Amino acid sequence: MYRIYDLQCNNMPFPQGIDDAKPTFSWKLDSDQQDTYQVSYRLRVYLEECMVWDTGFIKSDKTFDIPYQGEKLKSGQLYFWEAESINNYGEKASSTTAKWQTGNIESRWLMKWISTGEARKEIVDCVSAEAIFAGAVKSLDKPEEVLDSPVYFRKEIGIEKEVKHAVAFATAKGIYDLQIDGQSVSHLFAPEYTSYNKHLEYQTYDVTKLLTPGRHGIGVILADGWYTGKIGLMGVGNQYGERNSFYLQIEVTYTDGTKELLGTDESFKWSYGGYRYSDLFVGEYYVQAKELTGYSKTGFDDSSWKQVVASVGGFDILQGQSITPARVVKKIVPEILCTPKGEVVLDAGANIVGFTRYEGPCEEEVEISFEHSEVLDQNGNFQQNILGQHKNQKDRILPNKTGIITYKPKFTFHGFRYVLLEGIKDPKAEDFEIWVIDGGLERTGSFVTSNEDINQLQENIYRSQQGNMLFVPTDCPQRERAGWTGDMQVYAPTATFNMDVLAFLKRWLKDMRLEQKMDGQIPNVIPAIDSNKYIDGEGQDEVSSAGWGDACVIVPYRLYQAYQSKEVLKDNFQMMCRWMDYVESKVSQEGLWDTGFHFGDWLIPSIMKATGNPMETAMKTKEEVASAMYAYTTEIMIDICNVLGEKKRAEHYLALNQKTRTSFSIKYISSDGRMRNDLQGLYVLALGMRLVDEHKRQACVRHLVNLVHENDDCLDTGFLSVPFLLETLYEEGEKELAYTLLFQKKSPSWLYAVTKGATTIWENWEAIRPDGTRTNSSYNHFAFGCVGEFMYKHIGGLEAVEAGYRKIKIAPDINCGLDWAKTSYVSRYGEISIDWDKKSGKLEVKLPPNTSGEIWWNGKTMEIGNGRYLLK
Ligand code: RAM
């Protein structure tokens, strides 16, 4: 059987509102025969009943990144498409029908932005990053005393004729909920988070069914979101502007062929309503008495509402939604705990991202509140682990009558496992639901072994990825939710295994390109947040750290390796070169990057333990780390240039790379293989990035091994070196030590957190100390989950030897200490699976059509085609 499945357009199963004139198509193949190759394919695209593109059968083995070349696409339409594939056995596979919806292809923007005309308050009480890092800053007890309220807009419209098709394009500076006749039509947290002043996405909704002949109410609630909300580590508002505004354009086509344009203009009115405040980090305060019941329906009395201020312009930065929208993936009925202190706390069972829904009894004027946190203290009492300015994570409801109330927040979400309840008498578990949200990315990897702790670690990695690959790749979902570039860079290979992150990271890289400074620097956080100047140091010209800015080279490269997308390299090549030129301007004659501030090997456990100050790790390691990163990125650039046929540039990077490697070894590694700075991570980087002269290498490895032993066989690596730790030991002949570290349960180690009941990856290895103390760290930081890459490669046995897993190396290490492992990964070609069992000596492999592999098993190597193979 030959099968074609998982059709994708612009790397999404069903993109809604994309406005590319030439979207790209891809599909996957499956076959029960060995050595199957596609010899030709055919694509057909339809609009309504008409075919708008038929490729005919094209002789090609291409199955992805095929651009649309049919009739000009029309705005706001649903296109259907099908693919057929013929293989080398003459079998033909036909797909089911897939679809995509176009956005405002012609970029006709004819309505107006509406707003109240008033600025939102900025409110900055603390500008000291140190004070925030030290946990010395508290959130306000009564945010309502300072925060602004979300704004309601409304208008009624009349539809006089039968509608054939109606499409709405909407967006906001802020986040919006759009309703027609009381029915919400918008996505969660639309328009999501991008580099707003350079790239703002709009959403496309098919509203044909709602616009029947007659009168209709249009209502919108507009909240601060990321645009003016209290975002980032510093929790400062107005990072992209001072005024929220909303835009709506509805294009109606009547059955008689006539058209009409409706949407936002001066005729809308505005008012405040039930939400006293609603902030992504602070939480929401809902005052029922102020609710404007029926505001989005016809007949509502808006005589006391005010006229909006309308304006035009700024349409050139609009782009159709380019990733799958956020969604609710799961609803959990929590457990109710009563703490020793007598607090009533909900337990979601795992550390998740989302919000709490309540439907149950309330009393008039008795405030109900839900405060969210990731941990209980060692005695089992509620502990708020997220400190800082405007980080309450607390939702509140003030009911205006006794009875049953139904509430879930609209414009906020939290990172939490526990919810402290107040204001509800005898709460019942079934009155609550914890709604888990995620970025709608497809799960592509699965990894299960005979070891429960490793399985839990894998689950924790996945859960942290799920909670942080939301809108943009964030460091953590509670304290900062910021697109820290270094975090994404170290985690990228693991990310591409677990989920299909291609479209998601492409969007983020677009923002990175847009945020690049004139001199080539890449801000450490993308989308850039101005209040990060309080972290970088105000007035600083340098806003890029080695290992963070380097993400502009490393992330596209990782995407290329995983997805064979040359486009990603092409799209970002100029950005990479400009960044590399910037770094080149900063390095010394010898090619060492010994200037400026860098986060270095951020958060080295021993230094953190001794000083509690993350900046110490930066200061101590920044020079070696920056130079090592430079050698590493020049090396990657050589490869990228070769892929893109940029021979001259490749030579340039080769020369730079050789110079830096030589100088690095001379300056930082003594003739007896000892690093100037005797830290595990620095050895790991030097070895892992091949910066050690051959004659010093063995000695260097010995020093690293000794350091690990001296540290009680525990790791002591920071952010940038940890992804190389196990792989370097493994490659340098220290396999056993690599596994000792992987299976280690003493702190610091990956499984230490598992033994402490972690359900996500922590920012701090000892977030829960051995004595049980819970620190106020983030318990949901995916960065250290980068160990996934090592597990999938050596325990699972999966490695791409050609970009996109076109050629696959299958080399599971059955001496890893486990009895069996099952790994599967949906590559762009289709599903790969590797299943081994030590006792029976069995290895079962399946590779998708169009790929080939090499198996390393029982000391032998064997070249294979694709299909199913069983080895004993
Ligand atoms: C922290 C972030 C992030 C890290 C930076 C340097 O505050 O959480 O993980 O990349 O600092």
Side-chain angles (χ1 to χ4, degrees):
M1 200 209 43
Y2 186 46
R3 192 166 70 93
I4 180 167
Y5 69 105
D6 200 9
L7 271 60
Q8 293 192 355
C9 173
N10 273 12
N11 310 306
M12 288 173 273
F14 176 27
Q16 294 170 58
I18 50 168
D19 51 15
D20 303 46
K22 291 183 181 171
T24 58
F25 302 104
S26 65
W27 57 88
K28 297 185 175 104
L29 298 171
D30 183 25
S31 165
D32 52 10
Q33 300 206 58
Q34 284 188 345
D35 301 330
T36 304
Y37 296 87
Q38 173 181 290
V39 290
S40 60
Y41 72 82
R42 178 183 190 178
L43 284 181
R44 273 177 289 191
V45 178
Y46 304 88
L47 173 61
E48 291 168 355
E49 250 61 283
C50 302
M51 183 149 67
V52 292
W53 192 37
D54 179 3
T55 62
F57 275 98
I58 295 183
K59 273 206 164 34
S60 164
D61 63 355
K62 258 192 128 184
T63 55
F64 48 79
D65 295 338
I66 297 165
Y68 176 78
Q69 277 161 348
E71 280 174 29
K72 203 163 174 255
L73 297 173
K74 292 190 179 142
S75 285
Q77 300 291 335
L78 202 54
Y79 283 84
F80 293 90
W81 67 287
E82 288 162 353
E84 287 171 297
S85 169
I86 296 179
N87 67 21
N88 50 328
Y89 299 108
E91 291 173 306
K92 183 160 118 183
S94 307
S95 73
T96 53
T97 307
K99 54 191 174 178
W100 90 92
Q101 181 200 38
T102 51
N104 190 352
I105 299 266
E106 289 109 31
S107 279
R108 280 192 331 145
W109 301 107
L110 301 168
M111 304 314 294
K112 293 178 181 166
W113 292 97
I114 55 169
S115 75
T116 64
E118 285 163 24
R120 313 294 277 180
K121 290 194 280 302
E122 195 180 356
I123 335 163
V124 194
D125 296 323
C126 166
V127 293
S128 157
E130 277 79 43
I132 289 183
F133 274 135
V137 182
K138 292 246 156 62
S139 297
L140 298 173
D141 279 343
K142 290 197 167 169
E144 63 272 30
E145 287 176 356
V146 289
L147 296 197
D148 297 302
S149 303
V151 173
Y152 290 57
F153 295 105
R154 82 176 299 277
K155 178 190 170 146
E156 290 183 20
I157 56 167
I159 296 287
E160 262 135 48
K161 297 180 278 188
E162 204 68 50
V163 172
K164 180 177 170 224
H165 182 236
V167 65
F169 303 120
T171 189
K173 294 171 184 168
I175 46 179
Y176 69 89
D177 177 54
L178 166 64
Q179 301 196 353
I180 298 181
D181 298 330
Q183 208 175 309
S184 182
V185 298
S186 48
H187 299 154
L188 278 181
F189 304 100
E192 305 196 342
Y193 187 26
T194 50
S195 292
Y196 286 130
N197 291 319
K198 302 177 172 99
H199 166 208
L200 174 63
E201 299 208 328
Y202 64 88
Q203 290 64 48
T204 303
Y205 308 108
D206 188 330
V207 294
T208 313
K209 289 210 177 84
L210 295 173
L211 297 186
T212 48
R215 287 196 72 69
H216 299 278
I218 297 181
V220 178
I221 311 177
L222 180 62
D224 292 349
W226 293 268
Y227 193 78
T228 48
K230 318 289 172 281
I231 63 168
L233 174 73
M234 301 305 301
V236 178
N238 294 1
Q239 293 300 295
Y240 302 96
E242 296 185 318
R243 285 171 177 76
N244 297 334
S245 52
F246 175 73
Y247 183 90
L248 175 68
Q249 176 169 321
I250 306 180
E251 303 192 0
V252 185
T253 308
Y254 294 103
T255 45
D256 65 6
T258 56
K259 292 181 187 247
E260 191 178 353
L261 205 61
L262 303 160
T264 42
D265 58 17
E266 297 77 358
S267 62
F268 271 73
K269 291 173 105 181
W270 77 270
S271 169
Y272 293 122
Y275 297 95
R276 173 58 195 86
Y277 63 79
S278 188
D279 182 274
L280 289 168
F281 290 76
V282 178
E284 199 163 274
Y285 183 24
Y286 178 71
V287 179
Q288 198 181 18
K290 294 268 160 81
E291 183 52 274
L292 304 167
T293 310
Y295 75 95
S296 65
K297 293 184 179 168
T298 52
F300 179 87
D301 177 11
D302 62 12
S303 51
S304 63
W305 288 38
K306 295 184 192 141
Q307 293 301 315
V308 297
V309 174
S311 64
V312 290
F315 299 125
D316 48 333
I317 62 161
L318 291 183
Q319 187 193 347
Q321 170 95 18
S322 61
I323 64 170
T324 305
R327 62 175 178 190
V328 174
V329 275
K330 201 172 168 186
K331 295 174 185 175
I332 302 170
V333 176
E335 235 186 90
I336 295 199
L337 313 174
C338 184
T339 71
K341 274 193 187 163
E343 303 149 323
V344 184
V345 170
L346 302 179
D347 178 1
N351 194 20
I352 58 93
V353 175
F355 42 79
T356 308
R357 179 184 186 276
Y358 176 63
E359 183 167 357
C362 65
E363 280 172 52
E364 184 181 336
E365 295 302 314
V366 176
E367 182 178 309
I368 295 175
S369 67
F370 309 121
E371 183 175 352
H372 302 77
S373 154
E374 295 180 293
V375 281
L376 297 180
D377 71 13
Q378 73 239 63
N379 301 316
N381 294 311
F382 186 79
Q383 174 176 332
Q384 181 50 272
N385 67 301
I386 298 304
L387 302 179
Q389 183 163 241
H390 302 308
K391 306 272 185 247
N392 307 54
Q393 296 216 94
K394 185 169 175 177
D395 301 331
R396 302 155 63 199
I397 320 167
L398 189 63
N400 66 345
K401 49 182 180 294
T402 301
I404 299 290
I405 193 161
T406 304
Y407 171 82
K408 73 173 158 56
K410 230 186 212 338
F411 301 110
T412 191
F413 63 92
H414 313 288
F416 67 102
R417 172 170 175 168
Y418 300 99
V419 189
L420 176 66
L421 294 185
E422 276 175 271
I424 305 173
K425 263 197 212 137
D426 302 325
K428 291 185 189 51
E430 59 271 25
D431 292 345
F432 298 91
E433 267 176 0
I434 308 291
W435 288 28
V436 182
I437 61 170
D438 78 4
L441 306 182
E442 300 273 305
R443 185 169 194 156
T444 46
S446 128
F447 174 72
V448 191
T449 73
S450 55
N451 182 313
E452 282 309 318
D453 292 329
I454 293 291
N455 296 347
Q456 184 66 47
L457 172 61
Q458 167 61 14
E459 239 186 74
N460 295 356
I461 292 173
Y462 184 80
R463 193 175 288 111
S464 277
Q465 181 167 344
Q466 195 173 30
N468 281 296
M469 298 266 163
L470 190 58
F471 315 116
V472 299
T474 56
D475 57 335
C476 55
Q478 7 57 6
R479 188 186 67 216
E480 303 184 38
R481 288 183 199 160
W484 282 96
T485 49
D487 301 43
M488 188 58 240
Q489 179 268 103
V490 296
Y491 184 70
T494 302
T496 58
F497 173 82
N498 283 315
M499 293 177 191
D500 184 346
V501 293
L502 183 55
F504 178 76
L505 289 179
K506 270 177 130 180
R507 174 167 99 172
W508 184 63
L509 287 168
K510 172 177 173 161
D511 284 353
M512 197 182 278
R513 295 196 295 274
L514 292 168
E515 299 272 20
Q516 184 166 33
K517 303 275 176 199
M518 288 296 282
D519 63 1
Q521 289 193 76
I522 303 288
N524 292 321
V525 168
I526 303 290
I529 301 176
D530 184 52
S531 63
N532 265 30
K533 63 184 174 220
Y534 303 124
I535 310 174
D536 299 334
E538 204 163 356
Q540 268 266 19
D541 289 338
E542 286 173 15
V543 294
S544 305
S545 161
W548 272 252
D550 291 322
C552 77
V553 173
I554 301 172
V555 175
Y557 186 61
R558 300 288 180 236
L559 293 179
Y560 171 72
Q561 288 176 313
Y563 302 112
Q564 206 188 327
S565 168
K566 259 197 187 181
E567 292 305 309
V568 172
L569 296 183
K570 274 193 213 149
D571 291 349
N572 296 292
F573 189 63
Q574 215 200 344
M575 163 171 71
M576 301 177 197
C577 293
R578 287 180 55 211
W579 162 252
M580 294 305 292
D581 290 349
Y582 163 77
V583 183
E584 201 182 327
S585 77
K586 294 283 156 188
V587 301
S588 67
Q589 283 286 331
E590 297 75 40
L592 298 174
W593 194 0
D594 51 8
T595 52
F597 170 78
H598 305 282
F599 291 112
D601 200 14
W602 187 241
L603 304 186
I604 294 175
S606 59
I607 299 182
M608 287 303 290
K609 209 170 188 163
T611 68
N613 180 3
M615 286 301 170
E616 286 284 326
T617 63
M619 292 310 169
K620 214 159 176 187
T621 59
K622 67 186 174 99
E623 191 181 322
E624 283 92 327
V625 168
S627 297
M629 287 308 302
Y630 186 53
Y632 190 56
T633 49
T634 46
E635 185 158 47
I636 293 178
M637 285 304 287
I638 300 170
D639 207 12
I640 293 175
C641 290
N642 286 334
V643 173
L644 297 180
E646 297 275 350
K647 292 275 168 287
K648 270 234 129 29
R649 275 252 167 197
E651 282 164 25
H652 177 65
Y653 291 120
L654 180 64
L656 295 176
N657 177 263
Q658 281 167 346
K659 183 158 76 176
T660 301
R661 282 169 60 185
T662 312
S663 306
F664 188 97
S665 192
I666 296 172
K667 181 156 184 200
Y668 304 122
I669 313 169
S670 69
S671 52
D672 64 351
R674 201 175 278 281
M675 301 279 312
R676 183 179 79 159
N677 220 333
D678 216 18
L679 289 164
Q680 276 188 31
L682 298 182
Y683 286 94
V684 167
L685 287 175
L687 288 162
M689 293 176 170
R690 305 188 310 110
L691 307 176
V692 187
D693 276 351
E694 206 36 49
H695 68 278
K696 300 182 194 170
R697 223 184 71 219
Q698 276 317 315
C700 203
V701 173
R702 289 272 52 87
H703 290 307
L704 170 60
V705 169
N706 289 341
L707 278 178
V708 176
H709 289 324
E710 281 162 24
N711 199 38
D712 225 5
D713 281 353
C714 284
L715 61 80
D716 193 29
T717 37
F719 249 60
L720 296 186
S721 61
V722 78
F724 295 89
L725 172 65
L726 302 187
E727 186 64 20
T728 299
L729 288 170
Y730 198 92
E731 287 301 316
E732 297 292 350
E734 294 292 335
K735 289 188 185 182
E736 258 183 53
L737 190 56
Y739 289 123
T740 303
L741 290 176
L742 177 63
F743 296 120
Q744 182 58 270
K745 290 187 178 168
K746 283 179 294 196
S747 160
S749 70
W750 286 278
L751 295 190
Y752 168 77
V754 170
T755 64
K756 291 283 175 195
T759 55
T760 35
I761 301 296
W762 301 342
E763 173 187 32
N764 172 345
W765 297 98
E766 252 182 42
I768 297 182
R769 299 213 180 97
D771 70 3
T773 320
R774 271 67 169 162
T775 61
N776 291 327
S777 319
S778 154
Y779 290 76
N780 203 351
H781 245 73
F782 60 48
F784 294 153
C786 60
V787 69
E789 184 186 12
F790 178 86
M791 302 198 295
Y792 317 138
K793 180 170 167 189
H794 295 295
I795 300 177
L798 174 70
E799 187 186 354
V801 280
E802 273 179 33
Y805 295 83
R806 187 176 180 90
K807 182 153 190 196
I808 303 140
K809 178 173 171 184
I810 298 119
D813 182 355
I814 55 164
N815 298 317
C816 62
L818 305 186
D819 297 334
W820 55 264
K822 284 185 207 295
T823 307
S824 88
Y825 174 65
V826 183
S827 75
R828 288 191 101 187
Y829 289 95
E831 188 172 352
I832 303 166
S833 66
I834 306 170
D835 181 354
W836 62 266
D837 182 83
K838 189 169 180 175
K839 217 198 254 138
S840 62
K842 172 199 83 167
L843 172 67
E844 211 181 328
V845 173
K846 196 181 170 211
L847 305 185
N850 279 353
T851 67
S852 65
E854 53 186 55
I855 296 184
W856 298 49
W857 185 247
N858 282 337
K860 288 195 209 95
T861 326
M862 174 182 158
E863 293 283 329
I864 57 166
N866 56 65
R868 202 178 282 281
Y869 294 81
L870 179 64
L871 276 74
K872 282 259 184 191

